[in-house]
Amino acid sequence: EVDLEERLSELDLRNDSDLPDVPPPTDSTPEILKRALSGLSARWKNWWIRGILTLAMISVFFLIIYLGSFMLMLLVLSIQVKCYHEIITIGYRVYHSYDLPWFRSLSWYFLLCVNYFFYGETVADYFATFVQRREQLQFLIRYHRFISFALYLTGFCMFVLSLVKKHYRLQFYMFAWTHVTLLITVTQSHLVIQNLFEGMIWFLVPISSVICNDITAYIFGFFFGRTPLIKLSPKKTWEGFIGGFFSTVVFGFIFSYFLAQHQYFVCPVEYNSETNRFVTECEPSELFQIKKYSVPPLLQAVLGWETVNMYPFQMHSIALSTFASLIGPFGGFFASGFKRAFKIKDFADTIPGHGGIMDRFDCQYLMATFVHVYITSFIRGPNPSKLLKQLLILQPEQQLSVYKTLKSHLVEKGILQPSLKG
């Protein structure tokens, strides 16, 4: 028993109350805003700062949408790296007094490895014809998973070699911290890009719904909030939660109607190897073609309409908006619990009045997973374009074998006439 106690004393067994405090973030509000709002109370000053910065961020977001899909992908990657940096920095600040070797270096190395794996998978899926024309890329794609595993294995071995006596448990804590952070940021941002390739509308409607819910819940809570919603986040109220829900569903329905009218937003994002550009040109699917629907009898008396013309996607937008407003906020509650555990108000001070980037995107990652699962479960069917790209990569004898099998299948179904032999 004495030996056991001595061994345990060598390990770090600090409880939550013993955790060193994380230094509070500094106020990054521009001086011009501080002077302009100096006469207001702290509550209204925060209102105006949040409002002005929100409008600025939305304007920049619209500009990036105008610049196209590639810029949106770069935006997602930039946000992912910044969110990862903010979470890893909290861990480093909490445990910096231990002077753990290689912690930050290994954290960034694992980020590089995981991004290499996911983006390599994306290149193999969506840029097959481009890769086929470049021999040096063919090698990287063919052995992509082996290379990715070798890179990760190198980091794993480096971690084992960095273990220091008396800090074993703490180092494994930080190893787990890094991997959970990778799961939250990199995996989810990869799903965001996958959703974008399905069509920009699958990217914009979910993200905009979360933003709308965040804004309207804040407004309803600010002016009408009286009833606390959850202890983890004392400023959240039932009035804000309910007001945000109805506002988000209405917004998503109307916003979807506008986007569904334009090919730019509804067509899958594809890479044109001839022009070396991303293109969004197609014949819109049935989801984005106006159809006539019968209005339920109860609503006919209120609206005075028996039928209504709308896009089928608008029905899906109700499901997306409902998730964004009812389940999405739990991503924010999770983040609130995380911040309380480490005695911090915000993840960082990147955006005045809002906190860090992670403070603004904590709900988006949960939404990205839902949209990806929703598309694969209820929307996505066989993709002829993607299948054709894969066929073009095959060897000539393999292509001929596929051709003969397909021809035989179509003849059996009566779609093709059997060839006559003279």
Side-chain angles (χ1 to χ4, degrees):
E1 291 183 359
V2 174
D3 291 341
L4 178 61
E5 290 178 0
E6 288 178 354
R7 278 182 288 167
L8 287 176
S9 66
E10 294 178 353
L11 301 174
D12 185 84
L13 299 175
R14 294 185 174 187
N15 57 35
D16 288 350
S17 62
D18 295 328
L19 288 175
D21 291 336
V22 177
T26 57
D27 185 5
S28 59
T29 306
E31 287 297 328
I32 187 172
L33 272 180
K34 287 182 180 179
R35 288 195 296 269
L37 304 174
S38 58
L40 300 176
S41 64
R43 185 168 182 258
W44 278 102
K45 185 184 297 184
N46 185 60
W47 161 269
W48 280 106
I49 291 173
R50 285 177 66 99
I52 293 170
L53 269 297
T54 296
L55 291 175
M57 287 188 290
I58 291 175
S59 301
V60 172
F61 184 54
F62 280 128
L63 175 62
I64 294 174
I65 293 171
Y66 173 77
L67 293 176
S69 306
F70 183 70
M71 294 304 296
L72 282 172
M73 293 177 199
L74 289 181
L75 174 66
V76 172
L77 178 60
S78 301
I79 291 172
Q80 173 222 113
V81 172
K82 181 57 180 169
C83 289
Y84 183 82
H85 170 257
E86 290 177 357
I87 299 175
I88 288 296
T89 299
I90 292 172
Y92 178 74
R93 285 177 176 174
V94 170
Y95 298 112
H96 76 281
S97 58
Y98 292 93
D99 193 25
L100 297 179
W102 301 357
F103 167 59
R104 284 205 293 189
S105 300
L106 281 175
S107 297
W108 287 104
Y109 177 80
F110 282 125
L111 176 66
L112 180 65
C113 291
V114 176
N115 269 311
Y116 176 81
F117 170 74
F118 279 121
Y119 280 93
E121 293 287 301
T122 301
V123 169
D125 274 347
Y126 294 98
F127 304 91
T129 52
F130 174 79
V131 171
Q132 191 179 16
R133 296 179 180 181
R134 289 161 174 79
E135 293 185 6
Q136 64 273 26
L137 290 180
Q138 287 181 26
F139 173 83
L140 293 175
I141 294 300
R142 182 176 181 181
Y143 300 104
H144 170 67
R145 295 192 177 185
F146 180 81
I147 295 171
S148 300
F149 178 70
L151 289 171
Y152 177 83
L153 201 59
T154 301
F156 181 83
C157 293
M158 290 171 64
F159 166 74
V160 173
L161 293 174
S162 72
L163 291 174
V164 178
K165 189 177 181 181
K166 296 186 179 181
H167 292 317
Y168 290 151
R169 177 172 293 191
L170 183 62
Q171 286 182 285
F172 278 102
Y173 284 161
M174 301 314 299
F175 184 77
W177 181 295
T178 298
H179 282 67
V180 170
T181 305
L182 289 170
L183 176 66
I184 293 172
T185 57
V186 183
T187 307
Q188 306 305 317
S189 64
H190 174 69
L191 295 181
V192 171
I193 292 178
Q194 293 290 308
N195 299 339
L196 177 59
F197 275 110
E198 295 294 328
M200 205 178 290
I201 196 168
W202 291 103
F203 173 85
L204 293 177
V205 170
I207 284 181
S208 300
S209 296
V210 172
I211 294 172
C212 174
N213 183 72
D214 192 35
I215 294 172
T216 54
Y218 177 76
I219 292 174
F220 275 95
F222 186 87
F223 288 105
F224 309 109
R226 296 291 183 274
T227 314
L229 175 64
I230 186 169
K231 291 182 179 180
L232 277 174
S233 194
K235 292 184 179 180
K236 298 290 192 299
T237 63
W238 276 104
E239 291 80 4
F241 187 74
I242 295 170
F245 165 68
F246 286 106
S247 302
T248 303
V249 171
V250 172
F251 166 81
F253 194 81
I254 296 172
F255 190 50
S256 298
Y257 179 80
F258 168 74
L259 295 182
Q261 300 177 46
H262 305 280
Q263 275 192 10
Y264 182 73
F265 297 115
V266 303
C267 290
V269 177
E270 295 183 351
Y271 180 77
N272 189 322
S273 57
E274 295 179 359
T275 60
N276 288 329
R277 294 179 60 188
F278 289 102
V279 294
T280 49
E281 298 175 357
C282 68
E283 181 67 30
S285 67
E286 293 184 357
L287 278 178
F288 308 108
Q289 296 178 12
I290 287 285
K291 290 187 177 181
K292 183 178 289 187
Y293 291 89
S294 298
V295 177
L298 290 175
L299 293 178
Q300 287 183 16
V302 178
L303 300 175
W305 303 333
E306 294 184 358
T307 61
V308 62
N309 293 327
M310 55 183 285
Y311 294 99
F313 180 81
Q314 290 179 269
M315 303 299 293
H316 294 290
S317 76
I318 295 175
L320 299 178
S321 300
T322 299
F323 184 91
S325 52
L326 296 184
I327 307 299
F330 280 84
F333 302 152
F334 176 86
S336 295
F338 179 89
K339 288 183 285 187
R340 281 178 170 270
F342 291 95
K343 306 174 185 177
I344 55 176
K345 182 177 182 294
D346 298 311
F347 282 94
D349 58 353
T350 310
I351 312 170
H354 292 268
I357 298 295
M358 191 65 198
D359 290 287
R360 292 277 56 82
F361 288 89
D362 44 15
C363 301
Q364 295 288 4
Y365 287 120
L366 198 60
M367 188 72 194
T369 306
F370 172 73
V371 175
H372 184 75
V373 172
Y374 189 88
I375 291 173
T376 54
S377 301
F378 305 110
I379 305 298
R380 183 186 294 161
N383 188 332
S385 176
K386 188 174 180 180
L387 181 61
L388 182 60
K389 289 178 181 178
Q390 293 173 334
L391 287 173
L392 292 174
I393 300 174
L394 299 177
Q395 297 297 322
E397 58 272 15
Q398 294 174 315
Q399 294 175 342
L400 189 60
S401 175
V402 172
Y403 166 74
K404 290 178 179 179
T405 304
L406 181 60
K407 182 180 178 182
S408 175
H409 177 72
L410 294 176
V411 168
E412 288 178 6
K413 284 198 157 190
I415 298 174
L416 286 182
Q417 295 297 322
S419 56
L420 299 175
K421 297 183 179 179

